[in-house]
Amino acid sequence: MARARSNGFGLMIVALFVGIATAPATGYAEETINLTLDRATVIRTPARATTVVIGNPAIADVSIQKSGVMVLTAKSYGETNLLALDSEGQLVSESWLKVQASSRNTLVVQRGGETETYSCEPLCKPTVTLGDSEKYFGKTSGQSGIRNGLATPSSGK
């Protein structure tokens, strides 16, 4: 009984065919855009795009400007996609958005299971960051909220 030999060439043809069958037919190339939590990033609006959609608006937000740019704001850790559609609803481009924490001038203190984050510019002060322990997060955000309330003019009083 003869045994079939695998020469790799057949597998290469199958892989090529599967790649062609699953490739987007729109002719655009996906790109990855790295975002930093709580920071805005300016990018160009894709040509012919009239509608822009964020896959998960809890992770990132987009604001389209008249000048042909989009402002992306990272809101939470994770990944999502950004779709750009033309006036006929056809996909113009798709980008992956990856949101990461900032490591710039940030100190993270880990005490057992408790996490606290400090912004160190130039002195280290408490800051509210996703992933901090509930007690620290609540105390720090409460102080920030009260401080911001004091800085806001009262309405009609």
Side-chain angles (χ1 to χ4, degrees):
M1 179 193 298
R3 294 183 72 180
R5 285 186 15 217
S6 174
N7 60 10
F9 182 72
L11 292 176
M12 186 172 69
I13 295 295
V14 170
L16 179 63
F17 177 73
V18 170
I20 291 171
T22 59
T26 57
Y28 67 87
E30 285 186 16
E31 68 173 317
T32 299
I33 301 171
N34 294 309
L35 302 173
T36 302
L37 184 66
D38 296 331
R39 291 195 54 198
T41 301
V42 176
I43 64 170
R44 303 274 323 135
T45 303
R48 302 184 341 263
T50 58
T51 302
V52 177
V53 179
I54 296 283
N56 184 345
I59 293 176
D61 193 15
V62 64
S63 173
I64 301 173
Q65 308 298 309
K66 291 180 182 180
S67 59
V69 299
M70 297 185 292
V71 179
L72 297 169
T73 304
K75 297 166 54 178
S76 182
Y77 301 118
E79 295 181 16
T80 190
N81 62 335
L82 173 113
L83 302 176
L85 308 173
D86 65 14
S87 60
E88 296 175 5
Q90 297 298 311
L91 188 62
V92 173
S93 73
E94 178 174 12
S95 300
W96 279 103
L97 306 178
K98 292 185 178 188
V99 177
Q100 302 168 0
S102 172
S103 59
R104 183 179 171 177
N105 300 319
T106 302
L107 172 68
V108 178
V109 177
Q110 193 80 37
R111 292 186 183 120
E114 303 290 311
T115 302
E116 300 175 358
T117 307
Y118 295 86
S119 177
C120 301
E121 295 199 22
L123 302 174
C124 294
K125 300 291 182 184
T127 188
V128 179
T129 302
L130 291 175
D132 286 340
S133 67
E134 287 184 42
K135 180 179 175 183
Y136 177 81
F137 189 96
K139 179 180 175 185
T140 304
S141 63
Q143 288 178 351
S144 295
I146 291 169
R147 183 175 184 277
N148 290 341
L150 292 173
T152 305
S154 59
S155 56
K157 292 185 181 180

